[in-house]
Amino acid sequence: MTTAPAGASLDASALRQRVADFVAEYDPETTDQRDFLAARFDAGLAWVHFPEGEGGLGAPRALQPVVDEEFERLGYTPVGREGLVIGLGMAAPTILAFGTPEQRARYLKPLYTGEEIWCQLFSEPGAGSDLAALGTRAVREGDAWTVSGQKVWTSLAHRARFAILVARTDPDVPKHKGITYFICDMSAEGVDVRALRQITGEAEFNEVYLNDVRIPDSQRLGGEGEGWRVAQTTLMNERVSIGGHPEPREGGLISLVSQLWRERPDLRTPGLHDQLLRLWVDAEAARLTKERLRQQLAIGQPGPEGSAAKYSFSRLNQEISGLELEMLGAEGMTYDDWTFRRPEGVEFTKRSPGFHYLRSKGNSIEGGTTEILRNIIAERVLGLPSEPRTDKDVAWKDLPK
Amino acid sequence: MTTAPAGASLDASALRQRVADFVAEYDPETTDQRDFLAARFDAGLAWVHFPEGEGGLGAPRALQPVVDEEFERLGYTPVGREGLVIGLGMAAPTILAFGTPEQRARYLKPLYTGEEIWCQLFSEPGAGSDLAALGTRAVREGDAWTVSGQKVWTSLAHRARFAILVARTDPDVPKHKGITYFICDMSAEGVDVRALRQITGEAEFNEVYLNDVRIPDSQRLGGEGEGWRVAQTTLMNERVSIGGHPEPREGGLISLVSQLWRERPDLRTPGLHDQLLRLWVDAEAARLTKERLRQQLAIGQPGPEGSAAKYSFSRLNQEISGLELEMLGAEGMTYDDWTFRRPEGVEFTKRSPGFHYLRSKGNSIEGGTTEILRNIIAERVLGLPSEPRTDKDVAWKDLPK
Amino acid sequence: MSEKRLDLLYSEVEEELRASVRSLLEDKSPPESVLARVEDDRITDTALWKELAEIGVAGLPVSEELGGAGASLRESAVVAEELGRGVAPVPFMGSAVLATTALLESGDAATQELEALAGGESTGTLVVGFARAPGSGFPEAVQENGGKLRGNVGGVVDALTADVLVVPAVGDSGPGLYVVPASEATVTPVVSLDLTRPLADVSLEGAAGRRVASGADAERALRHALVTGAALLSAEQLGVAQWALDATVDYAKTRTQFGRPIGSFQAVKHRLADLWISVSQARAVVRSAASAAATLREPGAGAEAAEAEINASLAQAFVSSVAVKAAEEALQLHGGIGFTWEHPLHLFLKRAKSDALALGTADRHRLALSGRVDLPAPSA
Amino acid sequence: MSEKRLDLLYSEVEEELRASVRSLLEDKSPPESVLARVEDDRITDTALWKELAEIGVAGLPVSEELGGAGASLRESAVVAEELGRGVAPVPFMGSAVLATTALLESGDAATQELEALAGGESTGTLVVGFARAPGSGFPEAVQENGGKLRGNVGGVVDALTADVLVVPAVGDSGPGLYVVPASEATVTPVVSLDLTRPLADVSLEGAAGRRVASGADAERALRHALVTGAALLSAEQLGVAQWALDATVDYAKTRTQFGRPIGSFQAVKHRLADLWISVSQARAVVRSAASAAATLREPGAGAEAAEAEINASLAQAFVSSVAVKAAEEALQLHGGIGFTWEHPLHLFLKRAKSDALALGTADRHRLALSGRVDLPAPSA
């Protein structure tokens, strides 16, 4: 491989050339995917905006889609990456922003190749929307911390090697100031992962009990008491994630219900027709909005519409799946399977309308409730004044719980 | 007329007998309505729950509908009373509760007979939902007060002889504590009534400018600084008012739109049909809810549903009139008359669909906004905790305006 | 448009009945125990049903001579509210509402069965799909020939535990209602969305049926059963909505986020206020539907049938969405905990949504109303 | 289902155009001045229109040879947004959109008129009711006989001030588009709900018309004019919604009740957040409709027509209710002051509601969509 030019001077065509050079060297037909990805990481083509040697080339972030699209065009898209969503989407940018050189060297590459799965130990039973109220305690003893508490809504915890974790290290200061951010080894003693069953019957998520889990101070990410700021980086990356690919008209749940309408003239009534058309229109509006945001991102001008996309997605899923059951009538009164299982992911197309209805109820809660998203839009986008706060200047230990 | 028994022992049949005796004595065919009503007042048949000599008999309040229905059954219902709604519904109960014997003797009878029309000087440009923030100043000088300020949304001010008025008498105490309640002579010098034009083109309401208006202290109602408590009585009576008559199915605006649907097959589409049926169902639900409340009142068990009836009414009016225009299409793009006029009242049936649409927008603002009604239901009915308040313990003069 | 002025209040007797049912359910079948039962193959709580029968719940509209309570459907509606409020897994709808009404309308031919149902010694159901709307016409899925019944009916409520099946069937002599011992039928459970109310497919392969009503009588009996079912289902839906509202208000008062109870946030307040208004309206609508349905069995009630059907359709058109909305808002405002299996909230959500499809969707009932109140559909 | 990927962003040129229009309107026609004009008999601000024409607004899609800007409909849409945002009382819709598109589609027969319209020397309109939906077929209200036109058309936009009328009429040789000097017609104002956009009835009693398109060409020209109108109307509606949102956010930041700005109350916040989301979505939908309409006039665009119609119907089905909702929420959140004549808010409410009926209601556009995207209505 030739010597790389400084990343900032890279443009799209130079990157396409690098991809072409790379795939000329590594034939995925004969290379194991993990080895292929390790080589891609080393070539700086994992995340082009990361520094050289850490998966990137120091190139503009907006150019990453060029690389992904080029690999895809050449037929080299990695598969089976669903379990890496937290590692790739949330842990990696946070480690990059706050990790020590040792931490970046240790974690980024196996995270990228898929060798190590990550999960997120953030939410607690008493700290959902109000994440900063978290009560999991971390007490320092010499070079290590002892952590105890309960986390919930942890997807992948049962498969994860590491977790990003926020814990309270100082209960005597206001809640946002006493939090520290750690990397937690999920195989450590005292980590107890239990399946958390949902209203659909299955368990996508876990509860994680931490019982005097020892975390070396070298696994602290960012300064002591700086955890809230570090977590903001993580969460911002959660909300920003929007696919690079245009979605086709009539994708997602509206497609299933539209197909049902087409195939089952016996289910049609004028009232259902009107409702279907309204939702079809709303779904198309949401799709175009996402497409517009994607076009903005592509020219490096992300808009605040990102915070709204998730909200529209959950509202539509809920209304469409509700209509689907109404349309089906008698058939809508049945369910496919209540068995307690651990699914690999959420695959709406393979499940029954009852599952669509129930599972979509979680969409407006997971990853930031609709209520919190509305607050964010009102305050950060529209600049409306915040409500009177009673919890900002009080020591965490004195807050009502 | 025979000597009246103590009011509390009166029952429905005794009251019916009194009405029968009364109409035997006064023939409305030959008696002027005002004289007839004056005699009815003197006979204690104006408001049976008021004390004897003040229009009543000291009977239970729940029996008033019996008297009204009996007069109506016998064909003796007074006419042209639309202008008395504030006097009868709000001023009278407040004067009864807080007035001196002199005030009760002076005001109640001409108020009842319709000789004197009343209006209400409460809202101000800067004090709408937050009535207690009002800034109209009353300064005492000897036996009288000098009042200055601006009031808005005053219906009937241009016809009224008297007003109930709240004004700030002490700006140095928290806002609820520095208010005093007065009876204002609308013919006094310094009272300047100006028509307030609405979005419909006409002016039902007024702005009233008070410029150093002199009000004798004898026209104070309740103690100095007690005005907020007195005003609560007034406002409670505003919200409670619910007609004694059952309403027929398909009354009000839904009737106009249903008739339009029946008479104009050319306007029908499946989508409009579904919307019309939904609103018809909602209107019938609201009607039955009011009917249930009426039945509760009749047995002396008023429910909290009263606060919701106005809300449902405004929401329905707005949605039905919006649909009416959609149904009409091209015809909905016209209006009957933008001329600046002073109407006698709001008569939906005589006006065009465009008027229905515009006028009903006021329904969710006048007499307590929808937002305030929701707060009331949440806090007083459901017992949800109030929001943190920053304006309760601060002197009025120091509040943000 | 004229209509009778119906009593929309609860009588003292009705409030007493409510109190006994509620206290029994709170004692023997709180939502947590219902949740614990739902993975059993036979969720239906027959022991609880026998206790409810002891306080008269199984035979409210049945005359006292036949061991019933001789009450009106208004009392049945109060019971339905409470059973909804407790998502009680008992065969009230199938046995005490649908089968009982159909048999009551069948005259004297079924007194023995009625007596057994009213006493709680046996339970029954009406063999129609639970989704069937009142105005759907007489079903032809089951055919009668020489007293033998053949056919399959899917999604029958309370059939799994029924002893007696009331089967609408069409034979040479036209429509008829037949009584069939459940042992003569094949009853296969289906996986139902509503965990607390099992549905089943009923298959008849030559089962011997005793005809209890024929022709127009059978048609009327079936229609009245379904109209009554729709009215009482709305009462159940009201109970579900009331539970969801109450549970959420309680939760909003105690759950703290950002240093204050979530119920002190104005957006939460306004949503709960809206819900309370809807539930209040649903109460009036349900009382109206129950009172109108009660007139169906008054002597010479022919003229009242239309009014009962209008009120039942109104109730289904209005209350279905209130119950669903209440359960959905409850889940959202409970946040994560409401999405877990371990919290009983999902039982109410599933009941609410399933009930919205039962005995005709709101959409079907709006269409039915349009014919009744002269708001005709556009001609195509 | 396949569709072209359209550019949904604003170009720099478009943003510059927006800035000039906005600045001109803020200077010459702020909402307060519009309000002051509305009781004139002739609300239309012809002086303002001439100034707008000077910056090219009157002839955006007209070629430069004819004195236009040679721009695409995407630019027209940006102008429509700004005119909506200012409820500007100018004949943009009638003259620069409907009449101009119809004449552009009529080939070379109307270059003189186009030139005059594009330069702002005269204004025109298309003589159809402003409520007419694109898919309503060719109107038969006006009949042509020997070059003479007879008939009445109600509710025509911008007709009161028009110099040139473009009249669809049916004669012996079938459908045709005719150019008629307004002086040959009787134009009678109607009282319109939208105070800032006068409608009028046009009566032709033997007026001499010059045919500029015939048969299928006339049908296509009319249909493209109405589809283009629907797409650009949605841009205007977006502008109305944006004004309502901005004005209300500003008001909520400064209006104090209960000791704090009303915008700090969570219920108000959430409603404004919802509105902002709707307006953002409307923006994407409007950009899509404008881009798709722009392809209508590309060479060989036959295949694009369906996509342009889908997008225009989508925009009308979606944005109409957003604009109405925005104006209604603005009024409610402004409280009493928003209900007064003296506050310009009502101009936007009336425009929003009237626009929702113009060029087909959302209901009609949903039905049109259902045919285009294979979601058929139930067969009766």
Side-chain angles (χ1 to χ4, degrees):
Chain A
M1 192 179 283
T2 55
T3 311
S9 70
L10 281 171
D11 64 8
S13 70
L15 282 170
R16 282 197 197 92
Q17 186 56 51
R18 277 175 186 251
V19 174
D21 293 346
F22 180 84
V23 299
E25 193 166 347
Y26 296 91
D27 178 4
E29 298 293 318
T30 57
T31 315
D32 172 74
Q33 174 168 301
R34 199 160 284 168
D35 296 339
F36 183 86
L37 290 169
R40 182 172 160 183
F41 182 93
D42 292 337
L45 296 169
W47 306 290
V48 293
H49 53 296
F50 276 34
E52 288 189 66
E54 294 177 352
L57 297 164
R61 183 179 181 141
L63 291 175
Q64 182 63 35
V66 172
V67 172
D68 292 335
E69 277 165 32
E70 193 64 9
F71 271 108
E72 187 184 350
R73 195 179 64 80
L74 298 167
Y76 301 144
T77 307
V79 296
R81 310 272 284 170
E82 298 77 16
L84 307 185
V85 55
I86 292 167
L88 292 171
M90 302 171 80
T94 312
I95 292 169
L96 182 73
F98 292 95
T100 60
E102 293 74 24
Q103 288 169 338
R104 282 142 61 185
R106 163 65 187 85
Y107 297 115
L108 290 177
K109 190 166 172 182
L111 182 162
Y112 179 72
T113 63
E115 189 180 345
E116 289 172 353
I117 291 177
W118 287 66
C119 69
Q120 180 196 25
L121 296 174
F122 276 30
S123 295
E124 299 181 5
S129 290
D130 184 11
L131 177 61
L134 60 91
T136 291
R137 281 285 278 128
V139 179
R140 186 162 189 163
E141 293 168 32
D143 275 354
W145 298 80
T146 303
V147 182
S148 290
Q150 185 194 350
K151 296 288 180 177
V152 285
W153 300 113
T154 316
S155 52
L156 297 164
H158 55 302
R159 296 169 54 202
R161 176 74 177 78
F162 290 106
I164 44 179
L165 163 74
V166 278
R168 183 153 312 277
T169 45
D170 186 353
D172 296 321
V173 295
K175 62 183 181 180
H176 293 90
K177 297 184 180 157
I179 296 171
T180 303
Y181 197 116
F182 298 96
I183 293 169
C184 175
D185 183 340
M186 291 296 285
S187 63
E189 198 173 337
V191 176
D192 178 10
V193 177
R194 301 184 199 167
L196 178 55
R197 195 177 187 191
Q198 304 145 229
I199 64 172
T200 54
E202 56 185 34
E204 285 169 54
F205 302 96
N206 302 278
E207 296 177 290
V208 177
Y209 292 81
L210 303 166
N211 305 307
D212 293 333
V213 177
R214 190 177 170 283
I215 300 183
D217 189 55
S218 59
Q219 281 170 224
R220 177 168 43 78
L221 209 53
E224 212 177 310
E226 294 288 311
W228 183 248
R229 198 164 62 90
V230 182
Q232 290 310 301
T233 300
T234 308
L235 295 172
M236 203 168 315
N237 276 284
E238 179 177 26
R239 290 194 186 111
V240 146
S241 75
I242 187 163
H245 282 285
E247 291 164 22
R249 179 177 288 164
E250 211 184 279
L253 267 186
I254 194 68
S255 149
L256 298 184
V257 182
S258 297
Q259 275 312 114
L260 180 66
W261 182 265
R262 291 179 188 118
E263 289 160 12
R264 294 283 303 273
D266 60 303
L267 301 178
R268 298 176 192 162
T269 72
L272 293 171
H273 192 228
D274 192 55
Q275 289 176 64
L276 174 63
L277 292 172
R278 284 171 191 266
L279 288 175
W280 195 94
V281 164
D282 288 352
E284 179 67 359
R287 179 187 77 88
L288 289 168
T289 308
K290 243 174 130 174
E291 172 60 21
R292 184 161 191 271
L293 180 62
R294 197 172 286 114
Q295 294 181 6
Q296 284 175 304
L297 288 171
I299 59 164
Q301 300 177 338
E305 287 83 356
S307 20
K310 182 183 163 293
Y311 175 21
S312 310
F313 167 80
S314 63
R315 191 185 66 80
L316 275 169
N317 273 0
Q318 291 171 1
E319 294 192 8
I320 294 167
S321 62
L323 175 64
E324 188 179 22
L325 292 181
E326 299 281 327
M327 219 180 249
L328 286 166
E331 296 161 60
M333 297 172 82
T334 64
Y335 195 69
D336 50 5
D337 191 355
W338 292 119
T339 313
F340 187 3
R341 297 174 289 174
R342 311 246 19 179
E344 284 297 300
V346 180
E347 192 59 88
F348 271 7
T349 50
K350 292 183 184 145
R351 297 294 304 269
S352 73
F355 179 85
H356 303 161
Y357 178 73
L358 296 174
R359 182 59 187 83
S360 68
K361 294 286 172 266
N363 294 157
S364 50
I365 299 170
E366 56 198 337
T369 66
T370 296
E371 290 69 29
I372 294 297
L373 291 176
R374 281 173 167 149
N375 284 348
I376 289 174
I377 292 169
E379 294 182 10
R380 298 199 203 154
V381 181
L382 298 177
L384 290 169
S386 60
E387 292 196 80
R389 289 288 290 265
T390 56
D391 61 331
K392 286 212 142 169
D393 304 317
V394 182
W396 175 82
K397 67 179 163 47
D398 299 326
L399 287 173
K401 306 218 166 58
Chain B
M1 193 179 282
T2 55
T3 310
S9 70
L10 280 170
D11 63 8
S13 72
L15 281 171
R16 284 198 196 91
Q17 186 55 50
R18 279 178 185 249
V19 173
D21 293 347
F22 181 84
V23 301
E25 195 166 345
Y26 298 92
D27 177 5
E29 298 292 319
T30 58
T31 316
D32 172 75
Q33 174 168 301
R34 199 162 284 168
D35 296 339
F36 182 86
L37 289 170
R40 181 171 160 183
F41 181 93
D42 293 337
L45 295 169
W47 305 291
V48 292
H49 53 293
F50 276 33
E52 289 189 65
E54 294 178 351
L57 297 163
R61 182 177 182 144
L63 291 175
Q64 181 63 34
V66 172
V67 172
D68 292 336
E69 277 165 30
E70 193 64 9
F71 272 108
E72 188 185 349
R73 196 180 64 80
L74 298 167
Y76 301 145
T77 306
V79 297
R81 310 272 284 172
E82 299 77 17
L84 308 184
V85 54
I86 291 166
L88 292 172
M90 302 171 79
T94 312
I95 292 169
L96 181 73
F98 292 96
T100 60
E102 294 72 25
Q103 288 170 339
R104 281 140 63 186
R106 165 64 188 86
Y107 297 115
L108 289 177
K109 191 166 170 183
L111 182 162
Y112 179 73
T113 64
E115 190 180 342
E116 290 173 353
I117 290 177
W118 287 67
C119 68
Q120 180 196 26
L121 297 174
F122 275 31
S123 294
E124 300 181 5
S129 290
D130 184 13
L131 177 60
L134 59 89
T136 292
R137 281 287 275 130
V139 180
R140 186 160 191 164
E141 294 168 30
D143 275 353
W145 298 79
T146 303
V147 182
S148 289
Q150 183 193 351
K151 296 287 182 176
V152 285
W153 301 114
T154 316
S155 51
L156 297 164
H158 55 301
R159 297 168 56 203
R161 175 75 177 83
F162 290 107
I164 45 178
L165 164 72
V166 278
R168 183 151 313 275
T169 45
D170 186 353
D172 296 322
V173 294
K175 61 182 181 180
H176 292 91
K177 297 185 178 155
I179 297 171
T180 304
Y181 197 116
F182 298 96
I183 293 168
C184 175
D185 183 342
M186 292 296 285
S187 64
E189 198 172 336
V191 177
D192 178 9
V193 177
R194 301 184 198 166
L196 178 56
R197 194 178 188 188
Q198 304 144 229
I199 64 172
T200 54
E202 57 185 34
E204 284 168 57
F205 302 96
N206 303 277
E207 294 176 292
V208 177
Y209 292 82
L210 303 166
N211 306 306
D212 292 334
V213 177
R214 192 181 168 281
I215 300 183
D217 190 54
S218 59
Q219 281 170 224
R220 179 171 40 78
L221 209 55
E224 213 177 309
E226 295 288 311
W228 185 248
R229 199 164 61 89
V230 183
Q232 290 311 301
T233 300
T234 308
L235 295 173
M236 205 168 315
N237 276 282
E238 179 178 26
R239 290 196 187 110
V240 146
S241 75
I242 188 164
H245 283 285
E247 290 163 21
R249 180 178 288 162
E250 209 182 282
L253 268 186
I254 194 69
S255 147
L256 299 183
V257 182
S258 297
Q259 275 313 112
L260 181 66
W261 182 265
R262 290 179 187 118
E263 288 160 11
R264 293 284 302 274
D266 59 303
L267 301 178
R268 298 177 191 162
T269 72
L272 293 171
H273 191 229
D274 192 55
Q275 289 176 65
L276 174 61
L277 291 172
R278 283 172 191 265
L279 289 174
W280 195 95
V281 165
D282 287 353
E284 179 66 0
R287 178 187 78 87
L288 288 168
T289 307
K290 245 174 129 173
E291 173 59 22
R292 183 161 192 271
L293 179 63
R294 198 173 284 112
Q295 294 182 7
Q296 284 175 303
L297 288 171
I299 59 165
Q301 300 177 340
E305 288 83 357
S307 20
K310 182 182 164 292
Y311 175 24
S312 309
F313 167 80
S314 62
R315 193 185 65 80
L316 275 169
N317 273 0
Q318 291 171 359
E319 294 192 6
I320 293 167
S321 62
L323 175 64
E324 188 179 22
L325 291 181
E326 299 282 327
M327 218 181 251
L328 287 165
E331 296 162 59
M333 296 172 80
T334 65
Y335 195 70
D336 50 4
D337 191 355
W338 291 118
T339 314
F340 187 2
R341 294 173 292 174
R342 312 249 16 180
E344 284 297 300
V346 181
E347 193 58 90
F348 271 7
T349 51
K350 293 183 182 144
R351 297 294 304 270
S352 73
F355 179 85
H356 303 162
Y357 178 73
L358 295 174
R359 182 59 186 84
S360 67
K361 292 284 171 270
N363 294 157
S364 51
I365 298 171
E366 56 198 337
T369 66
T370 296
E371 289 70 29
I372 294 297
L373 291 176
R374 280 174 169 147
N375 284 348
I376 290 173
I377 292 169
E379 294 181 11
R380 299 198 203 154
V381 181
L382 298 177
L384 290 169
S386 60
E387 293 197 80
R389 289 288 289 263
T390 56
D391 62 330
K392 286 212 143 168
D393 304 317
V394 183
W396 175 82
K397 65 178 165 50
D398 298 326
L399 286 173
K401 306 219 163 58
Chain C
M1 204 158 291
S2 81
E3 66 288 332
K4 205 168 154 177
R5 195 177 177 188
L6 299 163
D7 177 6
L8 304 179
L9 306 179
Y10 295 109
S11 70
E12 271 180 48
V13 172
E14 287 162 356
E15 290 293 9
E16 282 162 23
L17 179 61
R18 180 200 298 287
S20 359
V21 175
R22 184 177 296 191
S23 127
L24 180 60
L25 293 181
E26 281 172 356
D27 190 24
K28 298 291 170 60
S29 180
E32 296 68 29
S33 338
V34 178
L35 182 56
R37 291 184 70 91
V38 297
E39 286 192 274
D40 288 4
D41 274 352
R42 293 178 84 84
I43 165 73
T44 304
D45 192 340
T46 48
L48 178 64
W49 182 242
K50 285 205 193 302
E51 293 203 57
L52 284 162
E54 274 167 32
I55 59 171
V57 161
L60 286 168
V62 177
S63 68
E64 293 180 29
E65 300 92 82
L66 294 180
S72 95
L73 289 175
R74 290 171 48 88
E75 281 80 7
S76 301
V78 171
V79 169
E81 280 183 36
E82 291 305 312
L83 296 176
R85 192 173 166 281
V87 280
V90 291
F92 180 77
M93 195 52 67
S95 190
V97 178
L98 296 173
T100 296
T101 311
L103 294 179
L104 280 171
E105 297 277 343
S106 300
D108 295 335
T111 48
Q112 208 182 326
E113 284 83 1
L114 272 174
E115 209 162 349
L117 295 183
E121 292 102 58
S122 71
T123 71
T125 194
L126 180 68
V127 181
V128 296
F130 193 37
R132 193 170 193 89
S136 320
F138 202 87
E140 303 188 349
V142 180
Q143 299 286 320
E144 179 265 349
N145 198 326
K148 301 289 183 192
L149 303 173
R150 282 178 206 282
N152 298 303
V153 181
V156 180
V157 70
D158 294 330
L160 273 182
T161 47
D163 307 293
V164 180
L165 304 177
V166 182
V167 184
V170 179
D172 289 341
S173 54
L177 276 191
Y178 297 81
V179 169
V180 181
S183 53
E184 303 241 340
T186 307
V187 180
T188 315
V190 299
V191 182
S192 37
L193 178 65
D194 181 353
L195 288 163
T196 59
R197 173 171 277 158
L199 301 178
D201 296 339
V202 174
S203 174
L204 298 159
E205 291 158 8
R210 191 176 96 250
R211 179 149 61 196
V212 295
S214 307
D217 287 344
E219 288 177 325
R220 200 202 57 247
L222 176 69
R223 189 162 181 127
H224 282 195
L226 294 175
V227 169
T228 301
L232 296 185
L233 183 68
S234 77
E236 176 182 307
Q237 291 168 310
L238 170 61
V240 169
Q242 187 72 57
W243 182 90
L245 173 62
D246 293 347
T248 310
V249 168
D250 286 348
Y251 186 73
K253 286 177 185 171
T254 53
R255 168 74 171 179
T256 296
Q257 293 278 275
F258 305 104
R260 47 193 260 219
I262 61 168
S264 73
F265 285 97
Q266 202 191 36
V268 174
K269 279 185 173 161
H270 283 195
R271 283 160 68 175
L272 288 171
D274 285 352
L275 205 52
W276 177 83
I277 292 172
S278 296
V279 172
S280 308
Q281 294 183 319
R283 187 172 308 284
V285 168
V286 164
R287 283 273 86 189
S288 182
S291 295
T295 65
L296 271 176
R297 301 209 55 250
E298 286 173 6
E304 317 285 358
E307 199 55 32
E309 295 197 12
I310 287 175
N311 274 283
S313 279
L314 179 85
Q316 280 301 303
F318 187 81
V319 186
S320 288
S321 62
V322 172
V324 170
K325 177 84 178 170
E328 290 179 342
E329 282 286 80
L331 197 157
Q332 181 67 24
L333 293 174
H334 274 77
I337 188 72
F339 193 60
T340 62
W341 186 273
E342 72 189 60
H343 193 288
L345 201 154
H346 64 103
L347 302 179
F348 293 86
L349 176 68
K350 291 161 185 174
R351 171 67 65 92
K353 190 68 189 178
S354 185
D355 276 1
L357 310 179
L359 298 170
T361 60
D363 178 55
R364 300 266 174 193
H365 281 284
R366 278 193 294 273
L367 274 184
L369 262 182
S370 83
R372 291 272 178 199
V373 302
D374 186 27
L375 292 171
S379 35
Chain D
M1 203 158 290
S2 80
E3 67 287 331
K4 204 170 156 178
R5 195 178 178 188
L6 299 163
D7 177 5
L8 304 180
L9 305 180
Y10 297 108
S11 70
E12 270 181 51
V13 172
E14 287 162 354
E15 290 293 10
E16 281 163 23
L17 178 61
R18 179 200 301 286
S20 357
V21 174
R22 183 177 296 191
S23 130
L24 180 61
L25 293 181
E26 281 173 354
D27 189 26
K28 298 293 171 59
S29 180
E32 296 69 30
S33 337
V34 178
L35 181 56
R37 293 183 69 92
V38 298
E39 285 193 276
D40 288 5
D41 275 352
R42 292 177 84 85
I43 165 72
T44 303
D45 192 339
T46 48
L48 178 63
W49 182 241
K50 285 204 192 307
E51 293 204 57
L52 284 163
E54 276 167 32
I55 58 171
V57 161
L60 287 169
V62 176
S63 67
E64 293 180 30
E65 300 91 82
L66 295 180
S72 95
L73 289 175
R74 291 172 47 90
E75 280 82 6
S76 300
V78 170
V79 170
E81 279 183 38
E82 290 305 311
L83 296 176
R85 189 172 168 282
V87 280
V90 291
F92 180 77
M93 195 53 68
S95 191
V97 178
L98 295 173
T100 295
T101 311
L103 294 179
L104 280 172
E105 297 276 342
S106 300
D108 296 334
T111 48
Q112 208 183 330
E113 283 84 0
L114 271 174
E115 206 162 351
L117 295 184
E121 292 102 59
S122 71
T123 70
T125 194
L126 180 68
V127 181
V128 296
F130 193 37
R132 191 169 194 90
S136 320
F138 202 86
E140 304 190 347
V142 180
Q143 298 287 320
E144 178 263 350
N145 199 325
K148 301 289 183 190
L149 303 174
R150 282 178 205 282
N152 297 302
V153 181
V156 180
V157 69
D158 294 330
L160 273 181
T161 47
D163 308 293
V164 180
L165 304 178
V166 182
V167 184
V170 178
D172 290 341
S173 54
L177 276 192
Y178 298 81
V179 170
V180 181
S183 53
E184 304 243 338
T186 308
V187 180
T188 316
V190 299
V191 182
S192 37
L193 178 65
D194 181 354
L195 288 163
T196 59
R197 173 172 277 159
L199 301 178
D201 295 338
V202 174
S203 173
L204 298 160
E205 291 158 6
R210 191 176 95 247
R211 176 149 61 194
V212 294
S214 308
D217 287 344
E219 288 176 325
R220 199 201 59 245
L222 177 69
R223 186 161 183 128
H224 283 195
L226 294 175
V227 169
T228 300
L232 296 186
L233 183 68
S234 75
E236 176 182 308
Q237 292 169 310
L238 171 62
V240 169
Q242 187 72 57
W243 182 90
L245 173 62
D246 293 347
T248 310
V249 168
D250 286 349
Y251 186 74
K253 286 178 186 172
T254 52
R255 168 73 171 179
T256 295
Q257 293 277 277
F258 305 104
R260 47 192 259 220
I262 61 170
S264 72
F265 285 98
Q266 201 191 36
V268 174
K269 277 184 176 165
H270 283 194
R271 283 160 68 173
L272 288 171
D274 285 353
L275 205 52
W276 177 83
I277 292 172
S278 297
V279 172
S280 309
Q281 294 183 320
R283 185 172 308 283
V285 168
V286 164
R287 283 273 86 188
S288 181
S291 295
T295 66
L296 270 176
R297 301 209 56 249
E298 287 174 5
E304 317 286 357
E307 198 56 30
E309 294 197 11
I310 287 175
N311 273 284
S313 280
L314 179 84
Q316 280 301 302
F318 187 80
V319 187
S320 288
S321 62
V322 173
V324 170
K325 177 83 177 172
E328 291 179 342
E329 282 286 82
L331 197 157
Q332 181 65 24
L333 293 174
H334 274 75
I337 188 72
F339 193 60
T340 63
W341 185 274
E342 72 189 60
H343 193 288
L345 200 154
H346 64 105
L347 302 178
F348 293 86
L349 176 68
K350 291 161 185 174
R351 171 66 65 91
K353 190 69 190 179
S354 185
D355 277 359
L357 310 179
L359 299 170
T361 60
D363 177 55
R364 299 268 175 193
H365 281 284
R366 277 193 295 272
L367 275 184
L369 262 183
S370 82
R372 290 273 178 200
V373 302
D374 186 26
L375 292 172
S379 36

